[in-house]
């Protein structure tokens, strides 16, 4: 199954990686590694996480306070946002 990141999600991910690498060199790479693990699980079980609004699901990272907001169909997972869970929950309205 193909995984596609919308530009918003890519930008949010790049910002998070940059932030964590500034906190400690290599920590952003650890975030990417955890995201890779989450994406692999999403590929295997795209319906595993709950629907939070309409057809948008949220997968949570275990170690970092982020959620992957996505839509899935038979052929593709579209990542709409890489959301800092400490942010305002009203931001989900823009996904």
């Amino acid at each position: 199954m193909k995984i596609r990141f919308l530009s918003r999600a890519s930008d949010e991910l790049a910002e998070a990686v940059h932030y964590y690498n500034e906190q400690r060199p290599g920590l952003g790479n650890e975030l990417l590694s955890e995201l890779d693990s989450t994406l692999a699980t999403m590929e295997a079980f795209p319906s595993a996480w709950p629907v939070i609004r309409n057809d948008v699901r949220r997968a949570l990272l275990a170690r970092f306070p982020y959620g992957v907001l996505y839509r899935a169909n038979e052929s593709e997972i579209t990542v709409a946002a890489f959301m800092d869970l400490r942010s305002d929950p009203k931001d989900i309205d823009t996904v």
Side-chain angles (χ1 to χ4, degrees):
M1 181 174 289
K2 179 181 174 185
I3 297 180
R4 180 174 64 99
F5 277 73
L6 297 182
S7 61
R8 169 189 174 164
S10 294
D11 292 346
E12 291 165 341
L13 175 59
E15 185 178 311
V17 169
H18 176 75
Y19 169 79
Y20 280 108
N21 277 332
E22 282 188 339
Q23 301 310 301
R24 180 173 56 90
L27 189 57
N29 295 334
E30 293 176 31
L31 171 67
L32 287 174
S33 178
E34 179 154 342
L35 176 61
D36 284 344
S37 176
T38 301
L39 293 175
T41 303
M42 286 169 55
E43 277 186 295
F45 306 102
S47 300
W49 286 277
V51 173
I52 57 170
R53 178 161 299 155
N54 300 324
D55 61 345
V56 176
R57 295 180 181 274
R58 182 179 67 191
L60 301 176
L61 274 66
R63 182 174 166 206
F64 294 89
Y66 283 87
V68 179
L69 302 180
Y70 70 97
R71 292 181 174 95
N73 61 38
E74 300 80 31
S75 61
E76 182 177 80
I77 293 173
T78 302
V79 177
F82 186 70
M83 180 176 267
D84 184 335
L85 297 177
R86 299 165 293 184
S87 64
D88 188 343
K90 290 183 287 186
D91 288 344
I92 196 170
D93 291 335
T94 63
V95 173

